[in-house]
Amino acid sequence: MMREALVDLGAIEANVETLRRAVGGVRTMVIVKANGYGHGAAPAARAAVLGGADWLGVVDIDEALQLRSAGIDTPMLAWLHDPAQDFDEAVAARVDLGVSYLAQLDRVAAASGVAQVHLKVDTGLGRNGAAPRDWAAFFEAAAAHQRAGRIVVRGIFSHLAGAGMDGDAAQVLLFEDALAVAGSFGVEPELAHIAATGAALTLPGSRFDLVRLGIAAYGLSPFDDTHTTALGLIPAMRLSGTIVSVKRVTAGTGVSYGHDYVAPRDTTLALVPLGYADGIPRLGSGAGPVSINGITYTVAGRVAMDQVVVDVGDDAVAVGDRAIFFGDPATGVPSVGEWAEASGTINYEIVTRIGPRVTRRYTP
Ligand SMILES: *Cc1c(COP(=O)(O)O)cnc(C)c1O
């Protein structure tokens, strides 16, 4: 494959098993939004279920329905909806709905069938979810809809800002208040959940009944690479391109747009057909690592839309060799984290932006 994201499904399965042990028996929802963090939603979802995931989480109903169409039957939650969303199809497909405000709750309750809902409360992230001043009315309405048989409240959930341990702990306390307010209206669902990977691993008091695991299921850390290794997680994606051209050039040859890189000596340039259209960050120009035949080089000059150039010096590199941008660092290649660092971003952004021209290939 000229551009390939090789995804190790066994790694995702093993990571989910490892994480289930690490969180001590609470239920797990593996998050496969954004095309499974770039890994492919349906294959990632199947691997997660093999690893013991009890739930799958996606952002929107389209993502959920695609998984249902792929034959994936696992309980599933979707939590970000178009204001004009028609909820009938999701209810019919048994997709649980995250609900964030009263008018949305009324619309979900009006859908045909009985919607299974998870009420979302904002405990300090400032995004979706009912604000504390609206909790009483929100839970009262939910209780009324539930009594009328229009909805079943399966969960109450929130999301952490990750603004330090104290910030997360304060959000957990406020979440407990929300559960108490809900309880006072007779809303006592089976699943309270607030923790994503970060808190699930570091703040046991945040685990409640279920944890939502995204990044770590793919073998990446919400903190830094050392955590991944310490837990024994395996990065699941290896991104590579075939070297499509190799040539000798003389010292002083400028490389790529703007000649930000000039060959300091006579050297060999290798051309790799991945660029920013494929998710290689342009901010990684002159900085991102690329491994060829076991040696790690740095991208020479600017990342272009479709390609990057690597200066391999006098090393023997041939057309058809593979240039690996990132993979499992235990195999001697750069990590996703190194690319993130080189580009001023986070590992999440690197893997989720791998573009559609890159062929996903799967190993069991
Ligand atoms: C993306 C997301 C997660 C997963 O976060 P990770 O840090 O990848 O584990 C969990 N919950 C919600 C609401 C999310 O949007």
Side-chain angles (χ1 to χ4, degrees):
M1 298 291 171
M2 189 159 86
R3 309 178 196 93
E4 177 184 278
L6 181 67
V7 177
D8 179 352
L9 296 174
I12 296 176
E13 181 181 341
N15 291 335
V16 172
E17 283 169 355
T18 301
L19 290 162
R20 283 172 57 224
R21 278 194 297 276
V23 299
V26 304
R27 274 170 280 189
T28 54
M29 175 184 291
V30 172
I31 310 301
V32 295
K33 63 188 178 187
N35 195 28
Y37 287 46
H39 295 64
R46 288 191 199 99
V49 171
L50 282 176
D54 304 291
W55 281 78
L56 296 169
V58 291
V59 159
D60 62 40
I61 289 172
D62 284 349
E63 290 179 324
L65 295 177
Q66 279 171 31
L67 292 174
R68 286 285 185 256
S69 302
I72 294 163
D73 225 30
T74 309
M76 203 177 287
L77 176 66
W79 58 76
L80 197 68
H81 312 299
D82 188 311
Q85 182 73 48
D86 178 341
F87 292 104
D88 290 4
E89 212 181 336
V91 173
R94 292 163 296 100
V95 174
D96 283 35
L97 300 167
V99 174
S100 284
Y101 55 93
L102 194 55
Q104 190 176 55
L105 180 66
D106 290 340
R107 288 172 44 82
V108 165
S112 55
V114 180
Q116 313 252 37
V117 310
H118 297 228
L119 302 170
K120 189 163 194 183
V121 290
D122 185 2
T123 53
L125 180 58
R127 297 193 329 198
N128 235 339
R133 59 182 294 162
D134 300 323
W135 287 349
F138 189 47
F139 293 131
E140 187 175 21
H145 285 309
Q146 181 158 253
R147 273 194 309 274
R150 288 188 284 265
I151 66 170
V152 171
V153 181
R154 271 234 269 203
I156 295 180
F157 75 121
S158 189
H159 195 37
L160 295 166
M165 282 294 241
D166 290 351
D168 284 352
Q171 279 193 253
V172 168
L173 284 177
L174 195 55
F175 186 56
E176 283 167 350
D177 289 349
L179 298 176
V181 176
S184 74
F185 289 99
V187 177
E188 286 171 325
E190 96 191 63
L191 298 172
H193 49 109
I194 187 168
T197 300
L201 295 179
T202 57
L203 191 66
S206 72
R207 290 175 190 156
F208 293 89
D209 304 306
L210 173 146
V211 292
R212 303 187 303 264
L213 304 169
I215 197 77
Y218 305 97
L220 305 175
S221 170
F223 314 109
D224 61 52
D225 287 346
T226 54
H227 286 77
T228 326
T229 329
L231 262 172
L233 299 172
I234 308 161
M237 185 194 289
R238 191 193 80 167
L239 181 71
S240 70
T242 309
I243 292 172
V244 292
S245 149
V246 172
K247 66 185 167 199
R248 286 297 288 179
V249 297
T250 52
T253 299
V255 175
S256 192
Y257 295 125
H259 285 180
D260 288 357
Y261 183 81
V262 176
R265 48 183 156 53
D266 292 2
T267 193
T268 300
L269 300 178
L271 183 64
V272 188
L274 281 96
Y276 58 78
D278 305 301
I280 306 301
R282 195 167 170 280
L283 283 171
S285 297
V290 178
S291 170
I292 303 170
N293 301 331
I295 299 173
T296 299
Y297 306 92
T298 299
V299 168
R302 289 189 199 160
V303 174
M305 188 185 296
D306 314 301
Q307 42 204 303
V308 301
V309 176
V310 181
D311 179 346
V312 298
D314 295 330
D315 296 340
V317 169
V319 165
D321 287 350
R322 290 211 81 74
I324 300 170
F325 287 73
F326 58 77
D328 181 353
T331 65
V333 300
S335 67
V336 180
E338 286 169 74
W339 259 97
E341 184 119 336
S343 330
T345 184
I346 54 174
N347 51 8
Y348 292 72
E349 187 177 2
I350 299 290
V351 287
T352 54
R353 294 188 71 170
I354 300 305
R357 294 196 306 204
V358 177
T359 304
R360 269 73 173 172
R361 198 157 69 80
Y362 296 95
T363 56

